[in-house]
Amino acid sequence: MSELWLTNPLDDVFRTSKKQYRVPYDRRPDYKVEMACNARESVQLAINVGDDPMIEATARAEVLNAPENCGISFDCGGVRYINNSSNSINIFDEMKRADLPGELPQCIDRRPIKIIYRQTGAFFITVNTAADAIPGDYDCRITVDYTDAKSFERKFYEYDFKLTVYPVILPSGASAQYNYAQWLNCCGYHPEAVAKPTVECNENVYGIKNFSEKWFTLIKNYARQMKKERINILYVPVYNLLYNSMKYGENGEYIFDFTLFDRFIDTFLENADIKYLCGFHLVLRTSKVPESFSEDWRVHLNAPLVTWIFKEGRGLYDFAWDYLENDGAFRHLEMLIKGLYNHLKERGLEKMWIQHVSDEVDTAEQFAQI
């Protein structure tokens, strides 16, 4: 017989996780979700299948005593696992990795999952409330539909939980007092990325070309997820969006085509709650450019600053660069920033724009250059 229990959304539910039993005098109530309107709160339903493995398992949730148009909805997905290895991100050092189970919970997927013999799996259940959701106490139910891996019969489990929605409305990201940013390198990393595969990460991961129609579908999904997570600052990859379409005047001046830039910006303005647009950094340390790349962190810390410059015959994979104090670097930045500002002003977006200059400037030489 399988064991089911609710747990915190931040808990790691491993294949080896077991239900923690309470002592007899523990009178705490069962897990309860409490939230405001215009919010998202999550919970995990863990299932240890024991001797009854499950395949083709999906989860759905509903409010049992919901009034009409209560403004409550659910997102349900199975927790996917990846093999623990040196490539596992955010798992601290190798010693820590060695102490962890062989598989790590990594992402959420709507596709059916399977939980094999005597192991544990989990479903991630997210409650969404609209801004006009009706406050109150609700009885909710999670239903897990699955196929018994022994009899191949279709079965289900039900698990109830309590939900309280308070008469408080959280503001949208665009009107909030807070600023919440995420480094979003959605068309490859900044030109400091030496390797071409890094710039073409979308093709490697998703099998799509940057700036194609499928890429814009991916970007739209990014924007919608940002709205759900209340991320209200968008990092804009200025170089990537402008470089391939720009032209050069008789005196070497930049002539920008903002078509791709505008479509990128508009996709997020239409599908996310954007408060500020932040141009990705324009200046970096010399040790990160291909001509003088170094793996030595001490060199990286103390290196002088350079800027990538637009130059005919050079592309996203072999940018030219110049030291920040040189005339060529200054002219590049002047043309780029003026062109960008004038376009933003034409669109009425200049007050939304924040320009990131450089990352981790910390030596006297670097401060003098800035």
Side-chain angles (χ1 to χ4, degrees):
M1 181 67 181
S2 299
E3 286 188 314
L4 286 73
W5 69 96
L6 290 182
T7 187
N8 191 296
L10 299 180
D11 286 346
D12 284 328
V13 179
F14 296 108
R15 298 285 195 190
T16 54
S17 296
K18 297 291 180 66
K19 181 178 181 179
Q20 299 296 313
Y21 287 96
R22 298 175 178 175
V23 294
Y25 53 80
D26 187 346
R27 299 188 179 277
R28 289 176 297 174
D30 290 336
Y31 200 101
K32 182 180 181 180
V33 177
E34 299 177 295
M35 59 193 303
C37 299
N38 195 32
R40 285 165 55 84
E41 294 290 343
S42 299
V43 67
Q44 286 187 92
L45 176 65
I47 307 176
N48 180 272
V49 299
D51 295 334
D52 303 308
M54 302 164 54
I55 59 176
E56 298 177 348
T58 60
R60 50 191 168 88
E62 60 183 329
V63 181
L64 300 179
N65 59 336
E68 188 176 357
N69 300 321
C70 64
I72 300 171
S73 62
F74 299 90
D75 295 325
C76 305
V79 177
R80 298 284 167 173
Y81 294 82
I82 63 169
N83 292 326
N84 180 19
S85 71
S86 59
N87 292 324
S88 302
I89 62 172
N90 300 327
I91 313 297
F92 307 107
D93 55 28
E94 293 181 1
M95 185 69 69
K96 179 65 177 176
R97 289 194 185 101
D99 295 337
L100 292 171
E103 291 181 308
L104 306 177
Q106 182 70 7
C107 62
I108 305 164
D109 197 319
R110 291 179 179 272
R111 292 174 296 178
I113 66 170
K114 65 179 179 180
I115 309 175
I116 62 177
Y117 183 69
R118 293 187 178 179
Q119 291 195 1
T120 301
F123 287 96
F124 208 86
I125 313 298
T126 298
V127 188
N128 309 288
T129 53
D132 59 353
I134 299 175
D137 295 316
Y138 296 93
D139 296 317
C140 301
R141 175 170 294 165
I142 303 169
T143 301
V144 177
D145 296 294
Y146 69 97
T147 298
D148 187 306
K150 291 181 177 179
S151 66
F152 295 100
E153 295 179 2
R154 197 65 180 168
K155 299 180 179 180
F156 67 90
Y157 285 118
E158 293 180 339
Y159 200 99
D160 294 346
F161 69 96
K162 300 288 186 181
L163 167 67
T164 296
V165 179
Y166 293 101
V168 176
I169 302 175
L170 297 184
S172 66
S175 59
Q177 292 298 310
Y178 64 82
N179 302 321
Y180 179 15
Q182 177 192 29
W183 283 51
L184 177 68
N185 300 310
C186 49
C187 54
Y189 201 58
H190 192 262
E192 66 190 62
V194 178
K196 178 178 177 181
T198 309
V199 181
E200 293 185 337
C201 62
N202 287 320
E203 184 171 358
N204 294 330
V205 175
Y206 298 107
I208 61 176
K209 289 284 189 181
N210 285 342
F211 316 128
S212 64
E213 289 303 315
K214 289 184 178 180
W215 183 82
F216 272 104
T217 298
L218 175 66
I219 294 304
K220 184 183 293 185
N221 290 334
Y222 277 1
R224 291 172 175 172
Q225 189 63 34
M226 284 175 62
K227 183 174 182 176
K228 290 180 180 180
E229 304 300 334
R230 300 184 180 280
I231 299 171
N232 59 3
I233 297 181
L234 171 65
Y235 274 92
V236 182
V238 176
Y239 279 80
N240 303 72
L241 295 172
L242 294 181
Y243 194 34
N244 285 335
S245 61
M246 66 173 293
K247 302 182 184 301
Y248 302 87
E250 294 181 359
N251 298 315
E253 67 272 19
Y254 298 158
I255 302 173
F256 295 108
D257 179 348
F258 286 97
T259 303
L260 181 61
F261 178 92
D262 284 340
R263 185 176 179 186
F264 177 87
I265 294 291
D266 289 339
T267 299
F268 285 91
L269 292 178
E270 292 168 5
N271 294 280
D273 289 328
I274 301 299
K275 184 178 180 182
Y276 293 115
L277 305 166
C278 183
F280 212 78
H281 55 272
L282 305 175
V283 177
L284 61 151
R285 295 185 179 92
T286 315
S287 63
K288 299 180 82 173
V289 303
E291 288 86 343
S292 59
F293 181 77
S294 173
E295 294 285 359
D296 190 333
W297 181 247
R298 291 166 298 179
V299 173
H300 176 70
L301 284 175
N302 298 314
L305 301 177
V306 302
T307 182
W308 297 97
I309 61 176
F310 296 160
K311 186 175 182 181
E312 287 189 277
R314 304 292 287 268
L316 281 173
Y317 310 131
D318 61 346
F319 259 93
W321 57 272
D322 202 349
Y323 288 103
L324 191 58
E325 64 269 24
N326 290 350
D327 290 342
F330 180 84
R331 186 166 184 265
H332 158 76
L333 291 174
E334 183 180 37
M335 290 189 295
L336 175 60
I337 293 171
K338 281 185 176 180
L340 184 60
Y341 176 76
N342 289 335
H343 180 72
L344 292 169
K345 192 171 182 179
E346 288 176 2
R347 293 207 50 190
L349 299 174
E350 76 278 9
K351 293 184 178 179
M352 291 181 64
W353 190 268
I354 302 171
Q355 183 57 58
H356 191 93
V357 178
S358 185
D359 193 32
E360 300 175 3
V361 175
D362 54 10
T363 68
E365 180 181 6
Q366 292 164 0
F367 275 111
Q369 287 181 290
I370 291 289

